[in-house]
Amino acid sequence: MEWKGVISAITTPFKADYSVDHAFLAEHARWQVENGVDGIVALGSLGEAATLSFDEKVSILKTLANALGSKPLVAGIASLSTHEAVSLARAAQEAGCAGLMVLPPYVYSTDWREMKAHVSAVISATKLTCMLYNNPPAYKTDFVAPQIAELAAEHPNLRAVKESSGDARRVTAIRALCGDRLAVFAGLDDMILEGAHAGAVGWIAGLVNALPRETMALFRHAMRGDAGKADPLYRWFLPLLRMDVLPKFVQYIKLAQQEVGKGSERVRGPRLLLDGAEREEALKAIRAGLASRPAT
């Protein structure tokens, strides 16, 4: 696969009994592709991967691989242990994934030597092209530009980085060391314009689960450097895009999906549905955005 464009960090839908809703998962993925997204990444933070069993993860990948046809499917690879992460990477290859998004381990975060060993084991477990996921606020491990360059030098199949530190200067730093060797993706919804200006060539997007047309339009304008079209669309979108960086981002994005008729707000524990004033404020922002939805 070619690492560029908008790849949706797809949510995981659940039925009333909290089992995975595979029928809607396939429908949702196809709908996003029909509205322009370039690929799907499953089993990420937004996909509630930490609440899924190993077998559920593999079943989700198989469902999406069948639904997407020629569009690339990327598997998020995260686990408590290196052994399980390597096993999931190999299962993802067998399921038909085109690439892997490699995360640091859950819970345990320590020094570069150990974190390098973990992600190196996953990257080298298959010949699939890989993206390194850097999200220090969520996973406590921070892969800085020199470390990323070191990994790229040792692993030919490491081809991309999802940069979710929230600091667009990281995009500049990675490109300064790696040039075009690695494709840098904006990993937070509210940094796409800043990331594109710094040299990002792709976006792992969240609100695309509810608003794919607007997401694709914003990305196109950003890539072309068309501030006249990008800036007003970004201003309209920002109250919703900022939901992607809140602690309860899964609940917010699933609520937005529900409001546009593309899914349910249902989440697995320990998450709970938004409630009270928090939910009312979220609905107010979502409905205000939808009421003023611009033409794209």
Side-chain angles (χ1 to χ4, degrees):
M1 65 173 288
E2 186 175 4
W3 291 101
K4 67 177 186 178
V6 175
I7 299 178
S8 167
I10 197 166
T11 53
T12 300
F14 299 115
K15 299 178 181 178
D17 64 358
Y18 294 96
S19 62
V20 176
D21 188 342
H22 286 272
F24 181 75
L25 177 66
E27 175 190 328
H28 187 211
R30 286 192 292 263
W31 173 71
Q32 291 187 65
V33 168
E34 288 165 3
N35 280 277
V37 303
D38 298 294
I40 298 289
V41 57
L43 312 181
S45 309
L46 186 53
E48 298 175 74
T51 72
L52 301 168
S53 71
F54 186 94
D55 289 344
E56 284 177 321
K57 291 177 181 180
V58 175
S59 293
I60 285 169
L61 295 177
K62 289 179 178 178
T63 293
L64 288 170
N66 289 332
L68 290 174
S70 62
K71 287 289 184 179
L73 171 64
V74 177
I77 306 296
S79 178
L80 288 167
S81 73
T82 304
H83 174 77
E84 184 172 280
V86 165
S87 297
L88 183 59
R90 291 171 177 159
Q93 180 173 248
E94 293 175 5
C97 291
L100 306 177
M101 182 175 71
V102 181
L103 287 76
Y106 291 138
V107 182
Y108 186 64
S109 176
T110 176
D111 57 31
W112 168 232
R113 183 177 69 91
E114 290 188 319
M115 294 299 96
K116 179 185 177 183
H118 174 84
V119 297
S120 291
V122 178
I123 294 167
S124 61
T126 76
K127 295 189 181 301
L128 292 178
T129 181
C130 293
M131 163 183 277
L132 181 69
Y133 182 9
N134 187 45
N135 189 342
Y139 296 101
K140 310 308 177 189
T141 296
D142 190 2
F143 297 111
V144 295
Q147 295 169 346
I148 293 168
E150 185 177 324
L151 285 170
E154 296 178 13
H155 299 284
N157 62 323
L158 178 61
R159 305 302 306 177
V161 179
K162 177 186 177 184
E163 177 47 59
S164 299
S165 68
D167 185 352
R169 295 173 298 179
R170 295 292 191 95
V171 177
T172 306
I174 295 167
R175 287 189 52 77
L177 287 180
C178 301
D180 294 331
R181 169 64 180 79
L182 295 176
V184 183
F185 276 58
L188 302 175
D189 277 2
D190 66 347
M191 67 170 283
I192 182 56
L193 282 198
E194 297 84 352
H197 184 72
V201 298
W203 181 9
I204 304 293
L207 264 296
V208 69
N209 281 278
L211 297 164
R213 287 178 307 176
E214 291 82 357
T215 299
M216 294 307 304
L218 180 57
F219 181 76
R220 287 193 301 270
H221 301 327
M223 288 297 103
R224 293 171 184 158
D226 189 344
K229 292 182 179 178
D231 289 352
L233 182 55
Y234 200 35
R235 285 194 295 272
W236 166 81
F237 217 165
L238 267 176
L240 302 179
L241 295 178
R242 286 177 177 143
M243 292 177 174
D244 181 56
V245 300
L246 298 173
K248 297 180 183 179
F249 68 106
V250 176
Q251 292 96 315
Y252 280 96
I253 291 174
K254 280 191 163 182
L255 183 59
Q257 284 182 237
Q258 183 168 280
E259 284 296 296
V260 300
K262 289 296 177 180
S264 162
E265 64 178 317
R266 194 175 291 117
V267 290
R268 273 187 179 175
R271 291 180 178 88
L272 299 173
L273 299 181
L274 298 176
D275 192 21
E278 187 176 38
R279 189 172 190 276
E280 289 306 311
E281 286 299 311
L283 285 171
K284 180 180 177 181
I286 293 166
R287 289 170 180 170
L290 294 179
S292 58
R293 202 170 180 176
T296 56

